[in-house]
């Protein structure tokens, strides 16, 4: 598994080869984070969680797969 950030989108490559992406702005702490802070994401718990140490934010991969976001998707302009 792999995690990376591009243009405020967070991408996960899963063990089965799928790539999943979601906007950072779907989570309160990530929405307020700078681009450089978002880049500091790490995989934890054997690939089951995303961790931003500098923001004290943790997200589970399972929660992301289930669509458990804190904030609604904002319409594109």
């Amino acid at each position: 598994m792999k995690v990376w950030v591009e243009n405020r989108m967070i991408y996960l490559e899963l063990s089965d080869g799928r790539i999943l992406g979601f906007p950072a702005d779907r989570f309160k702490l990530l929405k307020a984070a700078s681009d450089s802070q978002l880049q500091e994401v790490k995989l934890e718990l054997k690939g089951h969680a995303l961790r931003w140490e500098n923001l004290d934010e943790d997200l589970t991969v399972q929660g992301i797969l289930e669509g458990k976001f804190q904030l609604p998707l904002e319409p594109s302009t």
Side-chain angles (χ1 to χ4, degrees), residues 31-56:
K31 184 173 185 171
S34 69
D35 291 346
S36 62
Q37 287 174 315
L38 287 177
Q39 294 291 332
E40 296 177 20
V41 62
K42 304 281 185 217
L43 280 172
E44 298 283 337
L45 300 173
K46 298 181 181 178
H48 292 279
L50 306 181
R51 172 80 180 154
W52 285 265
E53 187 69 36
N54 58 335
L55 301 171
D56 195 24

Side-chain angles (χ1 to χ4, degrees), residues 1-6 9-22 61 64-65:
M1 290 193 39
K2 178 178 160 185
V3 62
W4 70 98
V5 179
E6 291 179 22
M9 286 286 292
I10 300 162
Y11 294 96
L12 284 168
E13 183 177 345
L14 305 178
S15 58
D16 64 5
R18 289 180 290 164
I19 296 176
L20 172 70
F22 64 93
V61 172
I64 294 164
L65 287 170

Side-chain angles (χ1 to χ4, degrees), residues 62-74:
Q62 187 65 37
I64 294 164
L65 287 170
E66 292 174 3
K68 294 182 178 176
F69 301 108
Q70 292 175 327
L71 301 171
L73 183 63
E74 294 181 7

